[in-house]
Amino acid sequence: MSGQGEPVAMTARRSGPLSGVAEVPGDKSISHRALILGAMAVGETRVTGLLEGQDVLDTGAAMRAFGAGVVRHGPGEWSVNGVGVGGFAEPEAVIDCGNSGTGVRLIMGAMATSAITATFTGDASLRKRPMGRVSEPLALFGARAHGRAGGRLPMTVVGAADPVPVRYALPVPSAQVKSAVLLAGLNAPGQTVVIEREPTRDHSERMLRGFGATISVEETGEGHVITLTGRPELRPQVVAVPRDPSSAAFPVCAALIVEGSDILVPGVSRNPTRVGLYLTLAEMGADIAFLSPREEGGEPVADLRVRFSGAMQGIEVPAARAASMIDEYPILSVVAAFAEGVTVMRGVRELRVKESDRIDAMARGLEACGVRVEEDADTLIVHGMGPGGVPGGAVCATHIDHRIAMSFLVLGLAARQAVSIDDGSPIATSFPAFAGLMAGLGAQIARAG
Ligand code: S3P
């Protein structure tokens, strides 16, 4: 959990060239899914490279509460003894998913078609986020959910004793909602169909196939039509989690804007549904080479060599790219502040319902650091000030949001004056080693004091 202990103020100062190797942690999306699907398989799933961030640890604890055996054997090495599809036990206590929207939404889906009841909660950030987007499709299976006003946590889900399969067109582009419906479909008889107009990350589809489920994806005029056959026996797997492209984005973007930098970020996932930031940076003129492309754990990966890129150009990021870089807009807006010209990010309304309202959080912090920003409900526009041109010198509010915290610390590495954040503790949800890793590259990031 985050945001529930003492806030940890941190400061980043203008730094010399960053250099060395940045070993970023395992992919968060894949880590959650490895634990949840492991818990729904029969037998022992082994996981290597698991992200040991608080979000994933909370999902591991939840899987234990539903009856699975979840054991840590060493750094990133875990096993999950699954109870099988439909085998979840009823948890004795409230399930606390901490800061994690992915954790709570996927687990709600996974339990919604079993005849058990569970109550979910989370930290102050998660309790503000909309859960109706998940409870509504789960009701179609026959589950009932009772939450606070506006579909907020805490929420109790009464699983369907006699679930029916569902055909559901996603009203918002969300891999979390898609995955919740697919996981619920596992214990419904017959075929569950999810239709997504805009493709979102496809880790659930890939991993369900890997665990032995029958799942097909058809491209039609309506978009992706994903069909899952219910009641499979999932077979335990060996899951090698690739490194997280969303976490890699922080050292990568830091190296792009800190003069003279040259770093290597090995083994980063290049899953096509996650590469939007990297396409965007290339269009802006970033110097990133993708070395030794290969396949690891069923995902394409590469080693990223990243060099300071001088005057990058502001661009218009198309709305159609939003789903493939949804978590990367905060750090892109930092790069945009050091680019020449204007960067326009369209189709980004989903940012308003993340761990914080990320459009508002970035706009206010960038303005405090002397950057001109425009926004509307669905758009963020950053007026670039050129390399080294951002004044900085502010304390930015992070709103219990790890990516806002890391983004402003990266900004401080290249701004003229130091940049502080009010609370760096949420960074532990996704990238516990962030400060140490960045310091190892030569970044001046420390607790404020
Ligand atoms: C995730 C999906 C995205 C993303 C989140 C992880 C996932 O959320 O922002 O960090 O693992 O499915 P949405 O599905 O709400 O867009």
Side-chain angles (χ1 to χ4, degrees):
M1 272 157 283
S2 68
Q4 296 182 340
E6 284 295 298
V8 179
M10 297 176 78
T11 298
R13 291 172 205 287
R14 190 165 188 145
S15 301
L18 305 181
S19 65
V21 178
E23 301 211 326
V24 302
D27 189 81
K28 183 153 72 70
S29 295
I30 296 177
S31 294
H32 282 294
R33 287 159 174 81
L35 295 178
I36 295 169
L37 286 175
M40 299 178 87
V42 179
E44 187 181 85
T45 286
R46 303 287 300 203
V47 188
T48 58
L50 189 85
L51 164 63
E52 293 178 336
Q54 193 57 46
D55 278 11
V56 175
L57 298 180
D58 288 337
T59 287
M63 290 301 97
R64 272 190 212 112
F66 282 99
V70 180
V71 178
R72 181 179 193 263
H73 300 278
E77 285 190 33
W78 291 65
S79 63
V80 185
N81 246 296
V83 293
V85 169
F88 277 166
E90 186 165 272
E92 286 177 17
V94 171
I95 303 294
D96 189 340
C97 289
N99 192 244
S100 181
T102 306
V104 74
R105 291 183 175 130
L106 268 58
I107 297 167
M108 279 183 179
M111 60 72 60
T113 45
S114 293
I116 56 173
T117 295
T119 300
F120 297 88
T121 192
D123 70 6
S125 154
L126 193 58
R127 290 197 305 270
K128 284 190 197 147
R129 298 179 65 185
M131 296 299 143
R133 54 175 56 195
V134 172
S135 61
E136 280 157 26
L138 296 183
L140 304 175
F141 287 96
R144 283 176 295 132
H146 308 276
R148 287 193 304 131
R152 304 297 200 265
L153 299 177
M155 182 176 271
T156 295
V157 179
V158 181
D162 219 352
V164 291
V166 154
R167 183 179 176 89
Y168 189 69
L170 294 177
V172 284
S174 167
Q176 293 177 359
V177 178
K178 170 176 67 174
S179 303
V181 175
L182 290 173
L183 290 170
L186 281 174
N187 199 35
Q191 294 193 320
T192 286
V193 179
V194 185
I195 301 147
E196 59 175 4
R197 240 177 306 132
E198 297 166 47
T200 64
R201 65 192 68 197
D202 64 355
H203 307 298
S204 296
E205 296 90 308
R206 285 173 185 250
M207 290 179 79
L208 278 163
R209 202 169 288 126
F211 275 79
T214 302
I215 182 165
S216 66
V217 183
E218 228 188 308
E219 298 210 17
T220 71
E222 292 179 280
H224 282 167
V225 178
I226 306 158
T227 306
L228 171 78
T229 303
R231 305 248 161 106
E233 180 168 306
L234 297 183
R235 293 186 300 266
Q237 295 299 299
V238 176
V239 181
V241 181
R243 296 182 196 274
D244 195 322
S246 302
S247 297
F250 297 101
V252 164
C253 291
L256 294 175
I257 60 173
V258 173
E259 206 173 326
S261 298
D262 185 350
I263 67 166
L264 189 74
V265 191
V268 179
S269 168
R270 300 279 297 142
N271 178 307
T273 60
R274 299 283 299 279
V275 295
L277 173 74
Y278 296 91
L279 294 175
T280 301
L281 292 173
E283 288 172 9
M284 294 174 80
D287 183 350
I288 306 177
F290 298 93
L291 309 174
S292 309
R294 57 198 182 272
E295 183 131 322
E296 277 176 15
E299 296 265 335
V301 303
D303 304 329
L304 278 47
R305 181 167 182 198
V306 188
R307 281 178 273 209
F308 171 65
S309 295
M312 289 177 278
Q313 294 303 313
I315 62 160
E316 171 137 1
V317 187
R321 197 176 286 165
S324 69
M325 55 179 292
I326 195 65
D327 291 336
E328 281 69 80
Y329 285 101
I331 190 64
L332 175 65
S333 67
V334 168
V335 175
F338 290 97
E340 309 272 11
V342 178
T343 297
V344 182
M345 297 165 248
R346 294 201 195 282
V348 294
R349 68 175 71 241
E350 274 295 297
L351 294 182
R352 296 208 181 267
V353 291
K354 294 294 177 189
E355 285 82 330
S356 67
D357 175 342
R358 286 180 171 162
I359 296 178
D360 184 68
M362 288 313 298
R364 300 294 82 77
L366 286 169
E367 281 168 353
C369 289
V371 181
R372 199 173 139 221
V373 177
E374 296 168 74
E375 62 173 296
D376 67 26
D378 198 27
T379 312
L380 177 63
I381 299 173
V382 175
H383 292 259
M385 308 187 84
V390 174
V395 180
C396 302
T398 57
H399 304 283
I400 323 180
D401 189 329
H402 54 132
R403 299 198 203 278
I404 301 299
M406 290 187 277
S407 295
F408 284 121
L409 290 175
V410 169
L411 182 91
L413 300 179
R416 292 201 199 123
Q417 305 286 323
V419 173
S420 296
I421 55 172
D422 61 348
D423 186 11
S425 65
I427 294 171
T429 61
S430 70
F431 200 159
F434 173 76
L437 178 145
M438 295 302 294
L441 300 175
Q444 293 195 53
I445 293 180
R447 281 190 174 217

